[in-house]
Amino acid sequence: MTKVSVVVYGADVVCASCVNAPTSKNTYEWLKPLLERKYPNIHFEYTYIDFQKETENLSDHDQQYIERIQEDELFYPLVTMNDEYVSDGYVQLKDITKFMELQKALSLLYLRVISECMKEGGEAEHGLQLCSTDPWAPGLLVRGVRIS
């Protein structure tokens, strides 16, 4: 995992259910330095979507999250990373680091499985070839299709 897309869905008005929580914009601004300091080897791309103003040219995925906020299934600010739900409402550091550490663990597990497969001759048998320099796990070529 060398690149992580971070999306914060929010609004100018503070969520009524999130008393004393930071605003959506404050949460967005807080995440930037936090992630870059804690995970310096990862490239983060940040997007802030004000779901009360920016409703055009959004993906179906974004629209689904916005609908869930509007139906009170989720609170805002809502944070997603690589299109996966991370936290909503009163966003806390532990939710963010838990997600990132889980991704790190999955990458390392993935690397270990691939390494074991290759030790047993899997490279020739399955068309596997390691490539790139991911800080947590290298990319992989599977029959010419790059996975990272």
Side-chain angles (χ1 to χ4, degrees):
M1 179 172 60
T2 57
K3 185 170 88 172
V4 175
S5 172
V6 179
V7 178
V8 177
Y9 302 86
D12 288 339
V13 180
V14 176
C15 174
S17 300
C18 305
V19 178
N20 297 324
T23 66
S24 300
K25 201 66 162 174
N26 285 348
T27 299
Y28 174 74
E29 295 297 332
W30 167 73
L31 279 174
K32 288 179 178 181
L34 172 96
L35 290 171
E36 290 168 13
R37 185 175 51 249
K38 190 151 181 71
Y39 304 100
N41 295 329
I42 304 297
H43 172 72
F44 293 95
E45 293 180 353
Y46 303 94
T47 305
Y48 179 81
I49 298 174
D50 185 325
F51 68 89
Q52 293 178 333
K53 294 179 182 174
E54 302 168 33
T55 56
E56 294 180 25
N57 301 320
L58 295 176
S59 70
D60 290 341
H61 186 76
D62 292 329
Q63 290 289 359
Q64 288 175 356
Y65 277 123
I66 290 170
E67 286 173 18
R68 292 181 67 192
I69 292 170
Q70 291 171 335
E71 294 170 1
D72 293 330
E73 290 178 36
L74 296 171
F75 299 106
Y76 62 92
L78 166 68
V79 177
T80 65
M81 298 175 115
N82 290 347
D83 295 331
E84 293 185 47
Y85 169 89
V86 176
S87 185
D88 68 303
Y90 191 28
V91 177
Q92 297 184 20
L93 176 60
K94 68 177 182 168
D95 298 329
I96 306 299
T97 55
K98 184 177 174 181
F99 177 84
M100 291 298 293
E101 293 305 316
L102 177 60
Q103 296 306 305
K104 178 180 177 181
L106 289 172
S107 293
L108 291 172
L109 178 62
Y110 178 71
L111 173 62
R112 186 170 181 186
V113 168
I114 296 303
S115 296
E116 289 300 316
C117 178
M118 291 181 72
K119 283 181 190 175
E120 297 171 10
E123 182 173 3
E125 182 179 334
H126 300 289
L128 303 177
Q129 179 185 349
L130 289 175
C131 62
S132 93
T133 55
D134 187 312
W136 288 336
L140 179 69
L141 277 177
V142 180
R143 297 199 174 130
V145 178
R146 188 174 194 294
I147 301 171
S148 45

